[in-house]
Amino acid sequence: TTESAIKFIYRDKKGNKWFTGRDEGLVRIDTTETLWKYANIRKSVVIKESPDGKLYCGGQGIDSVLFIYNGALDTFLPLHIEFDFVPSENLIVEDIAFDSLRNVWMATNEGLIKVTEDEEGFRAERITLRGIDINEPLKAIEIVNDNFWLVYSYAIDVYHNGQVIFYTRE
């Protein structure tokens, strides 16, 4: 078999380098250049660290949507997420960002999804932004000063104070 290509590289606050997309699982190279493999995450796409130091890994497939790193056990645990819509079996988390309220925002092939945590667990809702199709596939997301920058295959837009500004190739 052939190995899949690396999809994403990320350096966390501790200096670890993470590599997603590999068939043998998520890979970490620590500060001593030791290689670690996390074989339970075979469909990893993106990995990001929240401002409060939690490491999340988004993947491909309804059984691999979102994982959180447990440093004491040196493993990633899958998050059980209750969706307010019916996601497809092929849901892909393309990118992850965090807002000032510690919510996880996911750019997916099924649109923008916000994940919140409460006393009952994790809940996901599909977010509708005026002027954007709710199912529009997203490639990337970045939140800067409460502005949501969203990347599509054909355009970039910024959502600010209820307004959407589109940037296209034109």
Side-chain angles (χ1 to χ4, degrees), residues 64-83:
S64 299
V65 173
L66 199 58
F67 296 82
I68 190 166
Y69 182 67
N70 181 315
L73 300 175
D74 190 28
T75 191
F76 280 83
L77 303 173
L79 294 182
H80 176 71
I81 300 172
E82 293 292 328
F83 290 86

Side-chain angles (χ1 to χ4, degrees), residues 21-146:
R22 305 275 303 184
D23 284 340
E24 71 264 13
L26 181 67
V27 173
R28 170 173 62 108
I29 298 176
D30 67 19
T31 56
T32 66
E33 299 301 317
T34 303
L35 179 75
W36 302 86
K37 293 180 183 176
Y38 300 85
N40 66 316
I41 306 181
R42 294 192 179 277
K43 298 178 184 176
S44 64
V45 176
V46 63
I47 188 163
K48 293 273 182 90
E49 190 170 8
S50 69
D52 59 350
K54 294 179 182 175
L55 203 57
Y56 291 87
C57 182
Q60 180 176 347
I62 196 64
D63 60 340
S64 299
V65 173
L66 199 58
F67 296 82
I68 190 166
Y69 182 67
N70 181 315
L73 300 175
D74 190 28
T75 191
F76 280 83
L77 303 173
L79 294 182
H80 176 71
I81 300 172
E82 293 292 328
F83 290 86
D84 76 344
F85 65 99
V86 180
S88 77
E89 289 293 318
N90 298 321
L91 179 67
I92 301 171
V93 179
E94 300 283 0
D95 200 6
I96 299 171
F98 307 94
D99 66 20
S100 59
L101 300 175
R102 299 185 182 157
N103 296 311
V104 179
W105 291 81
M106 301 186 305
T108 77
N109 64 326
E110 296 182 26
L112 183 60
I113 298 174
K114 176 181 162 186
V115 178
T116 57
E117 182 180 11
D118 60 25
E119 59 278 348
E120 296 176 21
F122 292 89
R123 302 194 181 286
E125 63 181 302
R126 189 176 291 168
I127 302 299
T128 304
L129 301 176
R130 189 175 61 217
I132 301 171
D133 182 349
I134 193 169
N135 295 312
E136 188 67 44
L138 288 164
K139 298 296 182 185
I141 181 172
E142 187 69 33
I143 302 173
V144 180
N145 299 327
D146 293 326

